Amino acid sequence: MELRRRLSCWRRSRWPGHAMVCTMLALIVIVTVVDVLSPPEVHLGPFLVAAPAITSSFAGPRLTALVGGIAVVAQVIVAILRTTPLDVNHLAQITTLALMSLLATFFAHLRVEHEKEVTQLRSVSETAQRVLLRPIPRRIGPLRIASVYLAAEAEAQIGGDLYAAVRTDNGTRLIVGDVRGKGLEAVNEAALTLGAFRAAAHRQAELPELIALLEQALSSDLTDPAAHDDPEEAESFVTVLIADLPDAEPVLRMIACGHPPPLLIRDGLVVALEVDRPAPPLGLTQFAPTDLNVASFAFEPNDTLLLYTDGVIEARDATGAFYPLADRVAGWPARDPERLLRRLCDDLFRYAGGRLGDDAALLAVHRTPSPTPRRDPGATRRPASPPPPPQQAAPPC
């Protein structure tokens, strides 16, 4: 069954290429027949070069060379039927067609090699993304979670956006962040941030202490000029939002370090959870010292929390208007995080014309209602009181 499925997929993937090859062969036949039947002063041989040229755009070098060879043979047949292959006009057409077929074959070879490199790059980037951004379980305690990473460039599936979830003794901690800049430097800072968060989030009781540890872990790399070739990269920083969601309390505690506020979706209404005094991004706290105040918000059962990076709200349409995230999700069903993110991603790409200007990360968290307590099947049950003894009937008089 698996072999049949693979063969079926292979045939479906090969069918468009086979159809195009048949179209090119039909083009060669049509041009040849019309050229033979045309008046002596009409020459359609130059149209044959379209066959190998078009074939090189979707086929490999071997198939392109085969189509080019057939086109050259067709041109020779036209020359034989009309005059002679040694005619100056036909000889020039045959020579030109042969050279163009060789060029098309060479370009097909270059295209195939480039596609191999792109495929390998995508494979490596996807593997690195799975290592860096570990898949978040769909269910953590009373939370249902869905996440998605949207790369601005199709060839590079990773960047400076990050997210993670860590389970604690009494709840779940989340992080969403964005590293300034792009490329390998941004990936390196994202890896440092996630590594420090995963190492400390499960054992730190207070969020300010966790932020301090993240700052300490990043400060050595962010402020070390020797770690960056470009002086501007040494001034990088990371915007993060860390949230603490206790299992037993319908509350959300968070600290925003220069990060956009999350959205709380409740009964179709959307509220941006703005903090009074946001902290500066990681890497800049030494230049703008401030108290790390923990903001608390109600996060009740059936509420959904939407966390995101600025790549979402900075997406533009054809007129240059930013994507209105809060207005778009208002009224959408939000109790299924995966369905919510699928709809949001489709709407975002339609709004931006199919391509984002920056990487984006999305995290949807839904708090499910507390389950009804169940009786422990192993608990000791109270024995039922014995039924009363049956009353005897009075003897007859």
Side-chain angles (χ1 to χ4, degrees):
M1 295 299 293
E2 180 67 18
L3 180 59
R4 292 181 180 179
R5 185 185 65 81
R6 292 185 179 181
L7 288 176
S8 177
C9 294
W10 182 82
R11 290 170 181 172
R12 288 196 298 267
S13 63
R14 292 291 182 178
W15 171 248
H18 289 166
M20 290 295 296
V21 171
C22 293
T23 303
M24 295 301 101
L25 295 179
L27 175 64
I28 295 175
V29 173
I30 293 174
V31 172
T32 302
V33 173
V34 175
D35 196 7
V36 171
L37 299 179
S38 297
E41 63 275 8
V42 178
H43 298 279
L44 301 180
F47 287 99
L48 291 175
V49 74
I54 297 177
T55 304
S56 65
S57 64
F58 64 86
R62 293 183 180 180
L63 192 56
T64 302
L66 177 61
V67 173
I70 295 176
V72 172
V73 172
Q75 183 61 46
V76 172
I77 294 175
V78 171
I80 293 175
L81 295 179
R82 299 193 62 174
T83 56
T84 173
L86 299 179
D87 179 71
V88 176
N89 187 12
H90 287 103
L91 183 60
Q93 293 183 27
I94 294 173
T95 304
T96 303
L97 182 56
L99 292 176
M100 295 301 296
S101 298
L102 290 176
L103 286 176
T105 302
F106 176 70
F107 287 130
H109 170 73
L110 294 181
R111 180 185 58 80
V112 170
E113 292 298 321
H114 177 68
E115 289 179 353
K116 290 181 180 179
E117 293 178 358
V118 171
T119 302
Q120 184 178 8
L121 176 61
R122 288 180 178 177
S123 176
V124 172
S125 62
E126 290 175 358
T127 303
Q129 184 187 34
R130 286 193 296 267
V131 174
L132 180 62
L133 298 178
R134 300 174 188 173
I136 298 179
R138 296 183 178 179
R139 186 68 179 259
I140 303 179
L143 306 177
R144 294 179 59 189
I145 303 179
S147 60
V148 64
Y149 189 97
L150 304 176
E153 298 294 337
E155 291 79 7
Q157 298 295 325
I158 57 176
D161 291 21
L162 58 98
Y163 57 79
V166 173
R167 186 67 175 161
T168 63
D169 294 337
N170 57 359
T172 303
R173 284 182 173 172
L174 306 172
I175 183 173
V176 174
D178 187 7
V179 180
R180 174 185 177 270
K182 297 181 180 180
L184 294 179
E185 290 293 336
V187 175
N188 178 59
E189 308 301 346
L192 287 175
T193 305
L194 289 175
F197 175 77
R198 293 188 178 112
H202 69 280
R203 59 183 176 86
Q204 292 299 323
E206 301 295 335
L207 291 183
E209 297 178 10
L210 178 57
I211 294 293
L213 286 176
L214 294 182
E215 177 68 29
Q216 182 180 2
L218 292 174
S219 59
S220 60
D221 184 78
L222 293 177
T223 59
D224 184 7
H228 306 274
D229 298 331
D230 190 348
E232 295 183 357
E233 294 177 352
E235 300 176 357
S236 61
F237 56 85
V238 185
T239 66
V240 297
L241 186 144
I242 296 182
D244 191 2
L245 305 174
D247 292 343
E249 301 178 63
V251 66
L252 159 69
R253 302 184 183 95
M254 71 177 192
I255 294 180
C257 298
H259 200 78
L263 300 181
L264 179 66
I265 306 175
R266 178 182 296 166
D267 298 329
L269 301 179
V270 181
V271 179
L273 302 183
E274 299 277 0
V275 297
D276 295 334
R277 289 181 295 173
L282 300 179
L284 299 180
T285 56
Q286 56 181 334
F287 304 106
T290 183
D291 295 333
L292 297 176
N293 297 316
V294 180
S296 298
F297 302 91
F299 187 53
E300 302 174 355
N302 292 325
D303 287 354
T304 299
L305 185 68
L306 183 61
L307 304 100
Y308 55 92
T309 58
D310 56 7
V312 177
I313 56 177
E314 291 181 357
R316 298 173 181 263
D317 61 2
T319 64
F322 290 112
Y323 181 72
L325 177 61
D327 296 337
R328 290 282 182 162
V329 300
W332 289 1
R335 296 191 177 185
D336 187 347
E338 293 184 356
R339 183 179 179 184
L340 174 64
L341 290 190
R342 284 197 301 267
R343 183 172 180 178
L344 178 55
C345 292
D346 293 340
D347 185 70
L348 179 62
F349 276 107
R350 283 195 301 267
Y351 185 89
R355 184 172 182 176
L356 301 179
D358 191 9
D359 295 347
L362 287 159
L363 200 65
V365 184
H366 178 75
R367 182 184 285 276
T368 59
S370 300
T372 304
R374 298 180 180 179
R375 182 185 297 272
D376 186 359
T380 304
R381 296 186 178 181
R382 191 179 213 176
S385 50
Q391 297 182 355
Q392 296 181 355
C397 299

mmCIF file with all atom_site columns, all heavy atoms in Angstrom, residues 12-23:
data_model
loop_
_atom_site.group_PDB
_atom_site.id
_atom_site.type_symbol
_atom_site.label_atom_id
_atom_site.label_alt_id
_atom_site.label_comp_id
_atom_site.label_asym_id
_atom_site.label_entity_id
_atom_site.label_seq_id
_atom_site.pdbx_PDB_ins_code
_atom_site.Cartn_x
_atom_site.Cartn_y
_atom_site.Cartn_z
_atom_site.occupancy
_atom_site.B_iso_or_equiv
_atom_site.pdbx_formal_charge
_atom_site.auth_seq_id
_atom_site.auth_comp_id
_atom_site.auth_asym_id
_atom_site.auth_atom_id
_atom_site.pdbx_PDB_model_num
ATOM 1  N N   . ARG A 1 12 ? 1.443  11.736 -10.129 1.00 0.00 ? 12 ARG A N   1
ATOM 2  C CA  . ARG A 1 12 ? 0.768  13.033 -10.109 1.00 0.00 ? 12 ARG A CA  1
ATOM 3  C C   . ARG A 1 12 ? 1.766  14.171 -10.226 1.00 0.00 ? 12 ARG A C   1
ATOM 4  O O   . ARG A 1 12 ? 1.510  15.175 -10.889 1.00 0.00 ? 12 ARG A O   1
ATOM 5  C CB  . ARG A 1 12 ? -0.046 13.184 -8.821  1.00 0.00 ? 12 ARG A CB  1
ATOM 6  C CG  . ARG A 1 12 ? -1.290 12.324 -8.793  1.00 0.00 ? 12 ARG A CG  1
ATOM 7  C CD  . ARG A 1 12 ? -2.228 12.809 -7.695  1.00 0.00 ? 12 ARG A CD  1
ATOM 8  N NE  . ARG A 1 12 ? -1.611 12.695 -6.384  1.00 0.00 ? 12 ARG A NE  1
ATOM 9  C CZ  . ARG A 1 12 ? -1.740 11.653 -5.598  1.00 0.00 ? 12 ARG A CZ  1
ATOM 10 N NH1 . ARG A 1 12 ? -2.438 10.606 -5.997  1.00 0.00 ? 12 ARG A NH1 1
ATOM 11 N NH2 . ARG A 1 12 ? -1.157 11.618 -4.403  1.00 0.00 ? 12 ARG A NH2 1
ATOM 12 N N   . SER A 1 13 ? 2.937  14.023 -9.586  1.00 0.00 ? 13 SER A N   1
ATOM 13 C CA  . SER A 1 13 ? 3.935  15.079 -9.663  1.00 0.00 ? 13 SER A CA  1
ATOM 14 C C   . SER A 1 13 ? 4.571  15.149 -11.042 1.00 0.00 ? 13 SER A C   1
ATOM 15 O O   . SER A 1 13 ? 4.988  16.221 -11.486 1.00 0.00 ? 13 SER A O   1
ATOM 16 C CB  . SER A 1 13 ? 5.008  14.870 -8.596  1.00 0.00 ? 13 SER A CB  1
ATOM 17 O OG  . SER A 1 13 ? 5.707  13.650 -8.840  1.00 0.00 ? 13 SER A OG  1
ATOM 18 N N   . ARG A 1 14 ? 4.647  14.002 -11.752 1.00 0.00 ? 14 ARG A N   1
ATOM 19 C CA  . ARG A 1 14 ? 5.269  13.980 -13.066 1.00 0.00 ? 14 ARG A CA  1
ATOM 20 C C   . ARG A 1 14 ? 4.302  14.378 -14.172 1.00 0.00 ? 14 ARG A C   1
ATOM 21 O O   . ARG A 1 14 ? 4.732  14.757 -15.263 1.00 0.00 ? 14 ARG A O   1
ATOM 22 C CB  . ARG A 1 14 ? 5.813  12.573 -13.361 1.00 0.00 ? 14 ARG A CB  1
ATOM 23 C CG  . ARG A 1 14 ? 7.001  12.180 -12.485 1.00 0.00 ? 14 ARG A CG  1
ATOM 24 C CD  . ARG A 1 14 ? 8.219  12.984 -12.822 1.00 0.00 ? 14 ARG A CD  1
ATOM 25 N NE  . ARG A 1 14 ? 9.373  12.575 -12.030 1.00 0.00 ? 14 ARG A NE  1
ATOM 26 C CZ  . ARG A 1 14 ? 10.579 13.098 -12.173 1.00 0.00 ? 14 ARG A CZ  1
ATOM 27 N NH1 . ARG A 1 14 ? 10.777 14.054 -13.038 1.00 0.00 ? 14 ARG A NH1 1
ATOM 28 N NH2 . ARG A 1 14 ? 11.578 12.683 -11.413 1.00 0.00 ? 14 ARG A NH2 1
ATOM 29 N N   . TRP A 1 15 ? 3.002  14.310 -13.925 1.00 0.00 ? 15 TRP A N   1
ATOM 30 C CA  . TRP A 1 15 ? 2.034  14.520 -14.985 1.00 0.00 ? 15 TRP A CA  1
ATOM 31 C C   . TRP A 1 15 ? 2.133  15.906 -15.607 1.00 0.00 ? 15 TRP A C   1
ATOM 32 O O   . TRP A 1 15 ? 2.100  16.042 -16.841 1.00 0.00 ? 15 TRP A O   1
ATOM 33 C CB  . TRP A 1 15 ? 0.634  14.248 -14.473 1.00 0.00 ? 15 TRP A CB  1
ATOM 34 C CG  . TRP A 1 15 ? -0.433 14.661 -15.443 1.00 0.00 ? 15 TRP A CG  1
ATOM 35 C CD1 . TRP A 1 15 ? -1.326 15.666 -15.304 1.00 0.00 ? 15 TRP A CD1 1
ATOM 36 C CD2 . TRP A 1 15 ? -0.701 14.087 -16.739 1.00 0.00 ? 15 TRP A CD2 1
ATOM 37 N NE1 . TRP A 1 15 ? -2.130 15.761 -16.388 1.00 0.00 ? 15 TRP A NE1 1
ATOM 38 C CE2 . TRP A 1 15 ? -1.771 14.811 -17.296 1.00 0.00 ? 15 TRP A CE2 1
ATOM 39 C CE3 . TRP A 1 15 ? -0.112 13.057 -17.467 1.00 0.00 ? 15 TRP A CE3 1
ATOM 40 C CZ2 . TRP A 1 15 ? -2.295 14.513 -18.545 1.00 0.00 ? 15 TRP A CZ2 1
ATOM 41 C CZ3 . TRP A 1 15 ? -0.621 12.770 -18.716 1.00 0.00 ? 15 TRP A CZ3 1
ATOM 42 C CH2 . TRP A 1 15 ? -1.704 13.477 -19.244 1.00 0.00 ? 15 TRP A CH2 1
ATOM 43 N N   . PRO A 1 16 ? 2.225  17.002 -14.851 1.00 0.00 ? 16 PRO A N   1
ATOM 44 C CA  . PRO A 1 16 ? 2.347  18.312 -15.493 1.00 0.00 ? 16 PRO A CA  1
ATOM 45 C C   . PRO A 1 16 ? 3.562  18.419 -16.396 1.00 0.00 ? 16 PRO A C   1
ATOM 46 O O   . PRO A 1 16 ? 3.486  18.999 -17.478 1.00 0.00 ? 16 PRO A O   1
ATOM 47 C CB  . PRO A 1 16 ? 2.437  19.275 -14.294 1.00 0.00 ? 16 PRO A CB  1
ATOM 48 C CG  . PRO A 1 16 ? 1.778  18.541 -13.176 1.00 0.00 ? 16 PRO A CG  1
ATOM 49 C CD  . PRO A 1 16 ? 2.131  17.106 -13.398 1.00 0.00 ? 16 PRO A CD  1
ATOM 50 N N   . GLY A 1 17 ? 4.730  17.845 -15.992 1.00 0.00 ? 17 GLY A N   1
ATOM 51 C CA  . GLY A 1 17 ? 5.907  17.884 -16.842 1.00 0.00 ? 17 GLY A CA  1
ATOM 52 C C   . GLY A 1 17 ? 5.718  17.103 -18.135 1.00 0.00 ? 17 GLY A C   1
ATOM 53 O O   . GLY A 1 17 ? 6.116  17.556 -19.215 1.00 0.00 ? 17 GLY A O   1
ATOM 54 N N   . HIS A 1 18 ? 5.087  15.934 -18.040 1.00 0.00 ? 18 HIS A N   1
ATOM 55 C CA  . HIS A 1 18 ? 4.822  15.146 -19.240 1.00 0.00 ? 18 HIS A CA  1
ATOM 56 C C   . HIS A 1 18 ? 3.883  15.884 -20.184 1.00 0.00 ? 18 HIS A C   1
ATOM 57 O O   . HIS A 1 18 ? 4.062  15.850 -21.407 1.00 0.00 ? 18 HIS A O   1
ATOM 58 C CB  . HIS A 1 18 ? 4.228  13.793 -18.858 1.00 0.00 ? 18 HIS A CB  1
ATOM 59 C CG  . HIS A 1 18 ? 5.216  12.881 -18.199 1.00 0.00 ? 18 HIS A CG  1
ATOM 60 N ND1 . HIS A 1 18 ? 4.849  11.739 -17.530 1.00 0.00 ? 18 HIS A ND1 1
ATOM 61 C CD2 . HIS A 1 18 ? 6.573  12.939 -18.100 1.00 0.00 ? 18 HIS A CD2 1
ATOM 62 C CE1 . HIS A 1 18 ? 5.925  11.129 -17.060 1.00 0.00 ? 18 HIS A CE1 1
ATOM 63 N NE2 . HIS A 1 18 ? 6.985  11.851 -17.390 1.00 0.00 ? 18 HIS A NE2 1
ATOM 64 N N   . ALA A 1 19 ? 2.889  16.548 -19.644 1.00 0.00 ? 19 ALA A N   1
ATOM 65 C CA  . ALA A 1 19 ? 1.958  17.300 -20.480 1.00 0.00 ? 19 ALA A CA  1
ATOM 66 C C   . ALA A 1 19 ? 2.679  18.428 -21.212 1.00 0.00 ? 19 ALA A C   1
ATOM 67 O O   . ALA A 1 19 ? 2.426  18.685 -22.398 1.00 0.00 ? 19 ALA A O   1
ATOM 68 C CB  . ALA A 1 19 ? 0.809  17.843 -19.630 1.00 0.00 ? 19 ALA A CB  1
ATOM 69 N N   . MET A 1 20 ? 3.598  19.098 -20.522 1.00 0.00 ? 20 MET A N   1
ATOM 70 C CA  . MET A 1 20 ? 4.341  20.178 -21.157 1.00 0.00 ? 20 MET A CA  1
ATOM 71 C C   . MET A 1 20 ? 5.260  19.656 -22.251 1.00 0.00 ? 20 MET A C   1
ATOM 72 O O   . MET A 1 20 ? 5.418  20.277 -23.309 1.00 0.00 ? 20 MET A O   1
ATOM 73 C CB  . MET A 1 20 ? 5.147  20.932 -20.102 1.00 0.00 ? 20 MET A CB  1
ATOM 74 C CG  . MET A 1 20 ? 4.299  21.744 -19.143 1.00 0.00 ? 20 MET A CG  1
ATOM 75 S SD  . MET A 1 20 ? 3.419  23.086 -19.979 1.00 0.00 ? 20 MET A SD  1
ATOM 76 C CE  . MET A 1 20 ? 4.792  24.086 -20.541 1.00 0.00 ? 20 MET A CE  1
ATOM 77 N N   . VAL A 1 21 ? 5.891  18.499 -22.014 1.00 0.00 ? 21 VAL A N   1
ATOM 78 C CA  . VAL A 1 21 ? 6.754  17.907 -23.044 1.00 0.00 ? 21 VAL A CA  1
ATOM 79 C C   . VAL A 1 21 ? 5.941  17.553 -24.279 1.00 0.00 ? 21 VAL A C   1
ATOM 80 O O   . VAL A 1 21 ? 6.357  17.807 -25.423 1.00 0.00 ? 21 VAL A O   1
ATOM 81 C CB  . VAL A 1 21 ? 7.483  16.681 -22.476 1.00 0.00 ? 21 VAL A CB  1
ATOM 82 C CG1 . VAL A 1 21 ? 8.211  15.937 -23.597 1.00 0.00 ? 21 VAL A CG1 1
ATOM 83 C CG2 . VAL A 1 21 ? 8.476  17.093 -21.407 1.00 0.00 ? 21 VAL A CG2 1
ATOM 84 N N   . CYS A 1 22 ? 4.779  16.964 -24.059 1.00 0.00 ? 22 CYS A N   1
ATOM 85 C CA  . CYS A 1 22 ? 3.907  16.646 -25.201 1.00 0.00 ? 22 CYS A CA  1
ATOM 86 C C   . CYS A 1 22 ? 3.503  17.912 -25.948 1.00 0.00 ? 22 CYS A C   1
ATOM 87 O O   . CYS A 1 22 ? 3.393  17.913 -27.189 1.00 0.00 ? 22 CYS A O   1
ATOM 88 C CB  . CYS A 1 22 ? 2.674  15.896 -24.713 1.00 0.00 ? 22 CYS A CB  1
ATOM 89 S SG  . CYS A 1 22 ? 3.024  14.242 -24.055 1.00 0.00 ? 22 CYS A SG  1
ATOM 90 N N   . THR A 1 23 ? 3.284  18.986 -25.223 1.00 0.00 ? 23 THR A N   1
ATOM 91 C CA  . THR A 1 23 ? 2.942  20.256 -25.871 1.00 0.00 ? 23 THR A CA  1
ATOM 92 C C   . THR A 1 23 ? 4.092  20.760 -26.725 1.00 0.00 ? 23 THR A C   1
ATOM 93 O O   . THR A 1 23 ? 3.885  21.246 -27.855 1.00 0.00 ? 23 THR A O   1
ATOM 94 C CB  . THR A 1 23 ? 2.574  21.299 -24.809 1.00 0.00 ? 23 THR A CB  1
ATOM 95 O OG1 . THR A 1 23 ? 1.487  20.808 -24.015 1.00 0.00 ? 23 THR A OG1 1
ATOM 96 C CG2 . THR A 1 23 ? 2.159  22.608 -25.460 1.00 0.00 ? 23 THR A CG2 1
#
